[in-house]
Amino acid sequence: MIIKILGSGCKKCVTLGENARAAAAAAGKQAEIIKVTDFAEIAAYGVMSTPGLVVDEKVVSTGKVLTAEEIGRLI
C-alpha cells in the first residue's frame, strides 16, 4: 500500500503522516508513506487545500488532519 501526504510540510502535514503510519501499523498493513510537496503534483490530484491524503492513488481526504482511527477506516 502506498500512502501519500500532500502538502508543504507544515505541522498539519506532519501530523497527518504520523497518523497514517499509526493507522497502517494498527491495521497490520505494510505501507510506504510518501510526502509530496511539489504544488504542481498536488494540483494534479485535484487537491486545492492541504493536507491531502492519497491511498493507492485515490484521494481520500483534503484540507483536514484525520485521526489514526479515521484513516484506519479508509484503508
Side-chain angles (χ1 to χ4, degrees):
M1 167 184 304
I2 297 175
I3 299 174
K4 293 183 180 179
I5 308 300
L6 311 180
S8 64
C10 66
K11 177 64 177 159
K12 288 181 180 182
C13 300
V14 170
T15 301
L16 184 61
E18 291 169 353
N19 291 350
R21 187 175 316 297
K29 297 188 177 194
Q30 283 288 93
E32 180 181 358
I33 309 290
I34 300 172
K35 295 178 183 175
V36 178
T37 57
D38 178 56
F39 286 105
E41 191 174 345
I42 293 169
Y45 281 100
V47 173
M48 293 300 145
S49 62
T50 59
L53 180 66
V54 177
V55 178
D56 291 332
E57 295 304 311
K58 179 183 175 196
V59 177
V60 295
S61 174
T62 64
K64 58 186 171 184
V65 178
L66 299 177
T67 65
E69 292 80 21
E70 291 170 320
I71 296 169
R73 289 192 292 268
L74 296 171
I75 59 172

